[in-house]
Amino acid sequence: MGHNIWKIGGFALIAYVFVMVFTVPMGPGLLELSNTGNATTQVDSDRPLPEYFLTGFGTHWSSQPDQLQVIVRSKTNLSKLEVIEVIDDTHARIGVSLPYSLPSKSWDVLINHPIDGTLLLENGLFLSDRFIDESLTLPAISIVEFEAKLPFHFPYQPRILETIRNLMLHVPMWFTMFVLMGIAFVASIKQLATARNLAEDEKSEAAVKVGLLFGFLGLITGSFWARFTWGAWWVDDPQLNGALVTVLVYSGYMVLRNSLDNAPLRARLSAVYNLFAFIILIILLMVLPRFTESLHPGKGGNPGFNSYDLDSALRAAFYPAVIGWIFIGIWMYRINLRFTRLQKLLTWTHCSQF
Amino acid sequence: MDSLLSILIQAHPLEGWFFGSGKAMVVLAIALILLIGFGLWMWRAESRLKSMEAKLKSKNQQES
Amino acid sequence: MNSGRAHKVTPPSWSRYVHLTRHAFRMEFRKKNGLAGLILFAICAVYTCYQVAGSRADAETWNALAWVVLLFSAFNAVSKPWPEDAPEMRSYLIHVLHPREWILARMTFFAMLLSGITCIVFVAFTLFMGSEDLSTGRALWFFCGMQATSIAMASLLAMIQTLAIRANGGFGLIAVLGLPLIIPVILIATQYGMDVLNGVSFADTAHNLLFLATLSGGFGALGYILFPYLWRD
């Protein structure tokens, strides 16, 4: 039992991850600040106040509506907008009470509320009908800043929204594939260096088989995610090309194995091809994405994920997912290896009886 | 929690319905059953492979 | 490394490598139909593209067709097994050659052959498909990119060809094993070609050539290290 603890642990971790994926709520965020085209007349000014419509996601504005603060920011300039009316938890009418002369056209929108804390919508407000003078500074404002009082939640990310849950199912597939292909790579080197028997060849075959399974699962989960986030099952992107080509290269490895009958020759040729395949995997999934632009989340130099995007809630689900899937992958590889060996042994024993 | 879900339904009908109507729990339950079933199947496969290995070993020893 | 176990011949020598390369060319030029077939294939492929896309294809199509024609010409060039790959010839050569000078000779031969075919493809392509998007200087950079790509393909395909022949597979196996491995090269090459056509300054796209050189070096080194394992019995 003691040495099997990691097998049970792997499944327990994934069960925990599944529970997290389906039960943890999303945190609040800002969807958009749109111009309604209306304008209300101000009491103390002759200029009309342009009215905007602010839409939030999972926010709680109708409790304590008077505490809602809407602030716009451009570099160091901060200015408060007027909250005309809070309609419900996620909708509010905002009056853009900014002067006619401004230091910038494009502004970040910040929301502060006692429950949601501070939320940011980057470049949420764009004013094209104002006089721009970059040397202007707006008068300083006083803000009462509230800390968020929210339950345990996954972070809101623009456009990704609920599909962030796929992080726990998609990314670990590739990590597991890396580990299994790494096992196959080491086994292939050993096979070439010490060509006594075919033990290492069996290892690399089993590891590539299971690794390919995880590769296909990675492609499928990624494809579903892309359908809901980008609107297409497949898009032309360096990261996606790399993933598909890696799977194709290893499929080529399986084709090569199946086209050879002579076992020692098969072991040698497939080991040679496997070394090429692993080098290509490293180039495609680790090197090239760092030098090309990609739509894939977690960009900015890192092909897997951006460490700044991972908050504590995501870490609490993502790291167990990676460890759990790797354990399950290794267990599958060991069972596959055991099965192949037993099959060979049985064939051999059976033949030797004649 | 309920208010949060109702808002979710407004903003994103499909996801809001999915998490609000309890369907997420059904999917979770099925996923967990599949996962545990897969784990048990692997456990059983491994133990059967082990016993077959042992049988084969003892048989070979008897013959030699 | 026990790769020298089967062949106790002297370590790789420069003179034998030069001799083998020259021998490969002599054999190629002696059978003129093989070389003529390669050239005919390249020109026919370009002419087919001309028929399909017309002489005023936009830059993207022009770029894509150029690399696809180069890719297929390269695969066509390596599809033919060498007489030295026959089992009886190999078992003789194992005793008189070091496998590493053999793979180096093959790589050199393929690199030079593909360079020549690249020249033909490039000339035919600019002739038929027009070169409105390329000024003379840019055409030169594009040509350099094609040459770098052909060398990268040669360094990989020399190895893949032997692998496929040893596995008793024909052209199908070369394609199945070679195409996925060559895709990174083609991705970088098309990126470079698009940059050149779009008028990106050479300094901003030169890293693509560096990538191609690195890939050629990597494939070449892997082939040089691993070829003895393929060749011996």
Side-chain angles (χ1 to χ4, degrees):
Chain A
M1 192 67 188
H3 61 277
N4 282 334
I5 195 80
W6 61 275
K7 298 171 186 170
I8 302 161
F11 274 92
L13 281 176
I14 295 306
Y16 156 78
V17 168
F18 277 7
V19 172
M20 291 275 279
V21 163
F22 285 106
T23 55
V24 174
M26 284 291 297
L30 293 180
L31 287 175
E32 62 171 348
L33 181 66
S34 57
N35 195 344
T36 56
N38 301 335
T40 48
T41 42
Q42 275 170 300
V43 182
D44 52 349
S45 164
D46 49 348
R47 219 156 42 77
L49 185 66
E51 196 183 303
Y52 278 66
F53 201 63
L54 182 67
T55 316
F57 175 88
T59 45
H60 308 80
W61 297 335
S62 57
S63 58
Q64 296 173 284
D66 51 329
Q67 302 283 4
L68 178 67
Q69 302 177 77
V70 184
I71 301 135
V72 287
R73 180 184 69 185
S74 172
K75 290 178 194 120
T76 55
N77 289 301
L78 286 173
S79 180
K80 237 176 182 172
L81 301 188
E82 203 167 300
V83 180
I84 300 172
E85 185 196 2
V86 171
I87 299 167
D88 58 24
D89 269 346
T90 52
H91 297 95
R93 285 161 61 209
I94 305 295
V96 177
S97 51
L98 287 170
Y100 181 65
S101 303
L102 286 173
S104 167
K105 274 183 186 176
S106 147
W107 296 77
D108 295 338
V109 180
L110 292 146
I111 299 288
N112 194 264
H113 188 263
I115 296 176
D116 301 329
T118 306
L119 305 174
L120 169 70
L121 179 64
E122 269 183 52
N123 299 320
L125 180 64
F126 187 78
L127 297 163
S128 52
D129 55 346
R130 303 296 170 107
F131 175 73
I132 304 301
D133 179 2
E134 287 184 13
S135 60
L136 282 174
T137 46
L138 295 182
I141 52 162
S142 63
I143 309 164
V144 193
E145 208 172 322
F146 297 106
E147 289 292 317
K149 285 197 263 322
L150 287 164
F152 190 69
H153 65 274
F154 287 142
Y156 167 91
Q157 285 197 0
R159 286 180 298 282
I160 294 179
L161 303 178
E162 297 279 358
T163 61
I164 200 165
R165 297 167 199 275
N166 194 32
L167 176 78
M168 274 66 85
L169 299 171
H170 172 65
V171 183
M173 296 295 146
W174 299 111
F175 280 43
T176 314
M177 194 185 89
F178 270 28
V179 170
L180 287 164
M181 296 317 183
I183 292 173
F185 177 68
V186 173
S188 286
I189 290 178
K190 279 189 188 162
Q191 175 67 37
L192 287 179
T194 61
R196 294 275 175 277
N197 53 35
L198 301 175
E200 298 294 334
D201 181 53
E202 286 163 359
K203 275 189 195 171
S204 73
E205 187 193 9
V208 168
K209 268 186 192 165
V210 181
L212 260 181
L213 174 72
F214 276 91
F216 279 119
L217 287 176
L219 286 181
I220 292 168
T221 48
S223 196
F224 271 103
W225 181 85
R227 177 72 187 83
F228 283 94
T229 316
W230 294 333
W233 295 103
W234 192 265
V235 298
D236 182 22
D237 188 88
Q239 190 85 14
L240 276 72
N241 290 337
L244 181 71
V245 171
T246 311
V247 170
L248 286 180
V249 169
Y250 279 101
S251 305
Y253 172 87
M254 294 315 293
V255 171
L256 177 65
R257 289 197 73 92
N258 286 329
S259 66
L260 277 158
D261 295 326
N262 177 353
L265 184 66
R266 178 175 60 206
R268 215 147 11 96
L269 295 192
S270 55
V272 167
Y273 189 73
N274 195 17
L275 298 192
F276 272 92
F278 192 73
I279 301 292
I280 283 290
L281 179 138
I282 298 285
I283 292 173
L284 281 174
L285 292 181
M286 320 267 289
V287 181
L288 275 189
R290 283 169 205 268
F291 293 96
T292 41
E293 285 162 21
S294 171
L295 289 169
H296 199 273
K299 282 296 124 187
N302 193 317
F305 54 89
N306 195 331
S307 52
Y308 301 111
D309 293 343
L310 281 181
D311 80 338
S312 56
L314 279 182
R315 277 174 219 274
F318 179 68
Y319 291 154
V322 171
I323 297 166
W325 284 119
I326 287 176
F327 280 175
I328 291 179
I330 290 176
W331 191 15
M332 284 166 78
Y333 148 70
R334 284 171 59 135
I335 290 181
N336 198 319
L337 181 62
R338 208 165 218 155
F339 178 72
T340 322
R341 283 191 180 153
L342 192 66
Q343 207 174 24
K344 269 190 189 163
L345 204 62
L346 278 175
T347 323
W348 188 79
T349 329
H350 183 72
C351 292
S352 66
Q353 284 173 349
F354 296 103
Chain B
M1 188 73 189
D2 275 353
S3 67
L4 190 114
L5 287 171
S6 68
I7 294 152
L8 205 59
I9 290 167
Q10 283 176 6
H12 284 263
L14 187 66
E15 288 96 331
W17 171 80
F18 181 66
F19 288 102
S21 63
K23 289 283 187 289
M25 293 302 150
V26 177
V27 175
L28 169 62
I30 293 171
L32 281 179
I33 288 168
L34 287 177
L35 182 78
I36 292 165
F38 180 60
L40 289 176
W41 179 71
M42 273 171 70
W43 189 272
R44 189 161 149 268
E46 194 177 37
S47 60
R48 281 177 69 178
L49 283 173
K50 268 182 193 164
S51 71
M52 279 166 88
E53 271 167 18
K55 226 183 264 175
L56 207 65
K57 213 176 191 177
S58 65
K59 198 184 163 197
N60 284 357
Q61 274 172 355
Q62 275 174 8
E63 282 174 5
S64 62
Chain C
M1 192 146 297
N2 59 356
S3 54
R5 188 161 51 92
H7 26 78
K8 284 278 184 276
V9 287
T10 51
S13 85
W14 177 256
S15 62
R16 265 209 303 262
Y17 155 69
V18 174
H19 177 79
L20 281 170
T21 315
R22 288 175 62 181
H23 172 75
F25 273 104
R26 220 175 292 136
M27 294 300 282
E28 188 67 40
F29 284 123
R30 196 172 288 167
K31 298 191 274 81
K32 291 194 180 54
N33 57 344
L35 197 61
L38 295 183
I39 295 168
L40 195 65
F41 180 90
I43 292 175
C44 287
V46 173
Y47 195 71
T48 312
C49 292
Y50 167 66
Q51 287 296 320
V52 172
S55 62
R56 299 194 70 82
D58 57 357
E60 273 102 21
T61 319
W62 198 96
N63 186 41
L65 288 175
W67 295 111
V68 167
V69 166
L70 186 63
L71 178 71
F72 279 89
S73 303
F75 270 85
N76 189 36
V78 300
S79 65
K80 188 163 45 84
W82 291 20
E84 289 85 348
D85 289 325
E88 55 272 22
M89 268 307 272
R90 205 187 61 249
S91 53
Y92 164 68
L93 287 174
I94 279 173
H95 298 289
V96 291
L97 291 178
H98 194 283
R100 295 213 161 117
E101 51 203 32
W102 185 225
I103 184 65
L104 275 187
R106 285 179 93 119
M107 279 181 191
T108 317
F109 170 73
F110 277 133
M112 289 164 102
L113 184 69
L114 289 188
S115 280
I117 290 175
T118 301
C119 294
I120 292 163
V121 167
F122 185 73
V123 169
F125 215 80
T126 43
L127 201 69
F128 285 123
M129 303 286 287
S131 54
E132 289 87 21
D133 296 311
L134 288 171
S135 63
T136 318
R138 302 215 153 261
L140 195 66
W141 285 128
F142 196 86
F143 181 68
C144 287
M146 277 183 132
Q147 289 293 352
T149 311
S150 70
I151 290 168
M153 288 199 289
S155 60
L156 176 71
L157 291 179
M159 187 72 181
I160 296 297
Q161 186 207 25
T162 330
L163 196 80
I165 289 167
R166 288 288 273 139
N168 290 323
F171 181 62
L173 198 58
I174 296 183
V176 166
L177 300 180
L179 272 175
L181 288 175
I182 214 80
I183 286 176
V185 173
I186 292 297
L187 283 179
I188 296 167
T190 45
Q191 181 65 46
Y192 173 79
M194 216 51 237
D195 283 356
V196 169
L197 285 174
N198 284 340
V200 176
S201 76
F202 180 69
D204 289 336
T205 188
H207 64 273
N208 286 314
L209 283 186
L210 201 67
F211 268 141
L212 283 178
T214 318
L215 276 176
S216 323
F219 286 145
L222 265 181
Y224 184 77
I225 295 166
L226 297 176
F227 189 72
Y229 297 105
L230 281 189
W231 215 43
R232 67 160 193 243
D233 279 305

